[in-house]
Amino acid sequence: MPVAIITGASKGLGRALAEALAAQGWDLVLDARNPGVLKEAAGALAPYGTRVTALPGDVTDSWHRTALVTEAERLGGVDLLVSNASALGAEPLVRLAELSLDGLRRALEVNVVAALGLVKEALPQLRAAPAGAVVTVSSDAAAEAYGTWGGYGASKAALDHLAAVLGVEEPGLRVWAVDPGDMATDLYAAAVPDDDDPRPDPGSVVPALLRLLDERPASGRYGAPALLETR
């Protein structure tokens, strides 16, 4: 069975994708910082009968990244790496004039440095996989100038560029940066707590990710709404 590592898998898009992949027979290595919530998310996948390992930890910890990849190797080797874990840099978001440099560093460490570190750990297995793929979860804030989203958007723009270069340097893999669009997630609620407008459930984005895995288009940046509209 194919094996996927999904970071930030206890809630939101990560959890929804984990469930969809488990339903298709994938074995999973799941990461999140909250051990209790991650354990509950992994337990909910038991009815699918696939092998699921939940490893709580912080992706900025190199030992934790090594443990994720080592566990995937034990299951047969990484076929898919999904970098979904994200940090905002400030909760709620603030203007750049008020953004602490430590907050910006945290966003860059989680969203960019840790994502690259995990790719570097997993690359030998991804190259050996029959259809190795990397998904980095982006944001429209990476491409649009939204007030208060500067630090987070800058980190996602940097992640987009890393994904683009990785796609060039690793032509045997598929590397997709995916902008999921608006979603009702805890991350968004923490970013803009006063915004109570309804937003789509993260599960509605999963079919776009599954389409990438099914059709394996060229490496690049994709918007989930466009993938869903042209399905």
Side-chain angles (χ1 to χ4, degrees):
M1 293 297 172
V3 177
I5 296 175
I6 305 175
T7 67
S10 64
K11 299 179 182 179
L13 180 59
R15 178 168 178 165
L17 177 60
E19 182 172 3
L21 292 179
Q24 293 188 354
W26 285 68
D27 294 326
L28 303 171
V29 179
L30 306 181
D31 148 274
R33 285 183 294 165
N34 187 307
V37 179
L38 181 61
K39 181 178 179 181
E40 188 277 328
L45 303 179
Y48 296 107
T50 60
R51 295 177 294 175
V52 178
T53 300
L55 293 178
D58 191 322
V59 290
T60 64
D61 180 346
S62 63
W63 292 99
H64 178 58
R65 295 195 300 268
T66 298
L68 293 171
V69 175
T70 299
E71 180 59 22
E73 184 175 28
R74 186 187 70 80
L75 295 177
V78 184
D79 296 276
L80 170 65
L81 172 59
V82 181
S83 286
N84 174 64
S86 295
L88 291 166
E91 297 181 10
L93 293 177
V94 295
R95 294 163 61 91
L96 287 176
E98 301 159 14
L99 178 63
S100 75
L101 295 185
D102 283 343
L104 177 59
R105 289 187 186 99
R106 174 65 182 172
L108 291 169
E109 283 288 338
V110 174
N111 302 347
V112 186
V113 178
L116 178 58
L118 193 52
V119 165
K120 286 165 65 68
E121 289 271 359
L123 260 181
Q125 294 179 43
L126 288 166
R127 289 167 174 159
V134 175
V135 171
T136 59
V137 177
S138 185
S139 167
D140 56 349
E144 302 291 340
Y146 300 131
T148 74
W149 289 85
Y152 177 78
S155 71
K156 290 296 185 176
L159 181 61
D160 281 356
H161 193 67
L162 286 183
V165 173
L166 183 66
V168 171
E169 293 178 344
E170 299 290 337
L173 304 181
R174 291 293 185 271
V175 184
W176 303 302
V178 180
D179 175 3
D182 281 346
M183 297 184 294
T185 63
D186 286 356
L187 188 78
Y188 186 83
V192 193
D194 295 333
D195 186 352
D196 56 3
D197 289 343
R199 280 178 162 71
D201 183 89
S204 66
V205 176
V206 170
L209 300 177
L210 296 181
R211 181 179 181 184
L212 291 174
L213 293 174
D214 289 344
E215 299 181 7
R216 291 183 62 82
S219 296
R221 191 177 193 276
Y222 293 84
L227 288 168
L228 294 171
E229 287 172 3
T230 58
R231 182 85 180 171

